[in-house]
Amino acid sequence: MQAINKERVAGLLQGLAQFGKTEHGITRLAYTAEDKAAQEWLLKQIQDLQLKLSVDAVGNVFLRREGKNTDLAPVAMGSHIDTVVQGGAYDGTVGVVGALEVLYMLQDEELERPIKVIIFRAEESSRFGFATIGSKLMAGVGDPDKFSGAAKEGSVTFKEALTEWGCDPAAYKQARKAAGCFKSFWEIHIEQGKVLEETGERIGIVHNIAAPTRFKIIVEGIADHSGATPMGFRKDALVSAARLVIAIEEAATNEAESGTVATVGVLDVEPSSINVVPGKATLWVDLRGVDEESINCALSDIRDAVSEIAKNDSITITMDMLTADNPVALSEELAAKLDVICAAKGIAYRHMNSGAGHDAMHMAKLAPASMLFVPCKGGISHNPAEYADNEDICLAIEILAEAVKEEASA
């Protein structure tokens, strides 16, 4: 196996970071011109690998290295290159660049199985309100109509973006894959938390992935003149929404020991004028965890709060569920292989869960799946300050290369 080229890894990560870069961070939303330009640039950089390129019906990219037996199910690796608004340079891209570097390291190896690197489309929820869309559609979860349902008024829907990308939304089922299509799936990712940094361990072996339950809460009051409407006569949607924000915080705090968290990430207010009592408020809520019972308890508390606040404030409140994924257990067998490799190398590592969702959670429906985490500075992610040390990234790549070599050898 060839030695890792640390300069190439750093160069590809830094190169991708130029696409969508502004003074406020990197904004490279899925299916945008920046997304396409970044992908095209990356593909040009790795032409010497002579991989077979294919693209599915929803824009997921597959880069195939053949094995001696082309009929065997490939070993797959990958992640995404889209970002959140004003994001960083490592979320997702570490997994794509790392997978490609594994192929460079295995160039001289004669392996039985093919290997595929996947660049998933639309992993981030920033543009359409749904996360991991590309891998969801591969696993047969959802459809373009569903993923277009969370678009704000005047925004491009998922179906429209898919069409602009050159895909036919009606053909989305062609992207579906059957269970067993891959022998296994592997993903490297920054931790997006501070556990590894705090403990001084350099690698995390992931066992469970938290699942997001996402929904809108629509509060409908009455828009009135801010000066002429006495306090006792108001039906202020924003005041009721504020009570809901606190109730959601409390619901998650009550389940904190199980690792459940909840966030009101967006609060839209209408008509949003300083001299008008808000007539409508929409809360966009992200509830997630690794314990399904705990998630359901928090959701139940939130529903109770909706009913109570609506009654007490004499206001109309409705909930619109967007997605409710289940927590996913990754392969214990693959985790054990990573454990052996890390122990043999004398690496400080830990077994852990992921609080963030990843494409691996849907790939686990198609094949045994596993993830490696690398530390990120301060646990910061989805932020321009996001940073992972190249030495830690390259260590994870070396571990993955050994695991993939073993997987593809039989």
Side-chain angles (χ1 to χ4, degrees), residues 203-227:
I203 291 292
I205 300 174
V206 182
H207 288 258
N208 300 282
I209 300 178
T213 295
R214 288 179 173 152
F215 50 94
K216 294 188 293 183
I217 301 179
I218 303 98
V219 184
E220 296 178 272
I222 296 177
D224 273 320
H225 194 290
S226 64

Side-chain angles (χ1 to χ4, degrees), residues 18 29 33 74-75 87 97 125 215 232 236 239 287 293 332 348 356 359 369 388 397 403:
Q18 303 311 305
L29 301 183
V75 176
V97 170
S125 59
F215 50 94
D236 188 324
V239 170
L287 169 67
E293 183 178 348
E332 291 297 325
D359 290 307
I397 294 171

Side-chain angles (χ1 to χ4, degrees), residues 165-228:
W165 192 263
C167 300
D168 178 8
Y172 77 95
K173 290 183 180 179
Q174 295 175 17
R176 290 181 178 174
K177 292 192 175 295
C181 60
F182 303 114
K183 183 185 181 187
S184 56
F185 175 79
W186 307 77
E187 183 173 5
I188 299 175
H189 208 282
I190 58 171
E191 181 194 346
Q192 299 179 287
K194 58 180 69 176
V195 172
L196 293 175
E197 185 180 64
E198 291 289 331
T199 62
E201 290 152 331
R202 298 184 66 192
I203 291 292
I205 300 174
V206 182
H207 288 258
N208 300 282
I209 300 178
T213 295
R214 288 179 173 152
F215 50 94
K216 294 188 293 183
I217 301 179
I218 303 98
V219 184
E220 296 178 272
I222 296 177
D224 273 320
H225 194 290
S226 64

Side-chain angles (χ1 to χ4, degrees), residues 125 129 131 210-217 248 252 260-266 283-289 295 302 322-323 355-357 382:
S125 59
T213 295
R214 288 179 173 152
F215 50 94
K216 294 188 293 183
I217 301 179
I248 291 165
T260 297
V261 296
T263 306
V264 180
V266 179
L283 297 80
W284 298 73
V285 187
D286 181 334
L287 169 67
R288 66 175 74 195
I295 294 169
I302 292 169
L322 301 175
T323 184
H382 287 185

Side-chain angles (χ1 to χ4, degrees), residues 35-51:
D35 189 17
K36 180 162 283 188
Q39 179 172 287
E40 289 176 349
W41 175 85
L42 180 62
L43 295 179
K44 285 181 182 178
Q45 308 312 304
I46 52 99
Q47 284 180 337
D48 53 326
L49 282 173
Q50 298 182 320
L51 305 173

Side-chain angles (χ1 to χ4, degrees), residues 260-337:
T260 297
V261 296
T263 306
V264 180
V266 179
L267 177 54
D268 295 323
V269 181
E270 300 176 34
S272 193
S273 176
I274 194 171
N275 62 345
V276 179
V277 176
K280 183 178 181 180
T282 303
L283 297 80
W284 298 73
V285 187
D286 181 334
L287 169 67
R288 66 175 74 195
V290 295
D291 185 316
E292 195 167 351
E293 183 178 348
S294 175
I295 294 169
N296 289 334
C297 284
L299 185 58
S300 178
D301 287 349
I302 292 169
R303 292 187 193 277
D304 289 344
V306 165
S307 297
E308 183 177 353
I309 292 169
K311 180 180 178 181
N312 292 343
D313 293 356
S314 299
I315 207 162
T316 300
I317 307 178
T318 56
M319 290 180 64
D320 180 9
M321 297 299 297
L322 301 175
T323 184
D325 296 332
N326 295 321
V328 174
L330 299 183
S331 169
E332 291 297 325
E333 182 180 348
L334 297 187
K337 290 186 177 185

Side-chain angles (χ1 to χ4, degrees), residues 309-380:
I309 292 169
K311 180 180 178 181
N312 292 343
D313 293 356
S314 299
I315 207 162
T316 300
I317 307 178
T318 56
M319 290 180 64
D320 180 9
M321 297 299 297
L322 301 175
T323 184
D325 296 332
N326 295 321
V328 174
L330 299 183
S331 169
E332 291 297 325
E333 182 180 348
L334 297 187
K337 290 186 177 185
L338 294 174
D339 189 300
V340 169
I341 294 169
C342 289
K345 288 179 172 290
I347 297 166
Y349 67 100
R350 74 161 38 225
H351 297 277
M352 60 192 304
N353 295 324
S354 172
H358 300 285
D359 290 307
M361 65 196 298
H362 303 295
M363 297 304 289
K365 297 179 176 69
L366 304 177
S370 191
M371 290 192 73
L372 282 169
F373 274 171
V374 297
C376 54
K377 186 176 181 180
I380 296 170

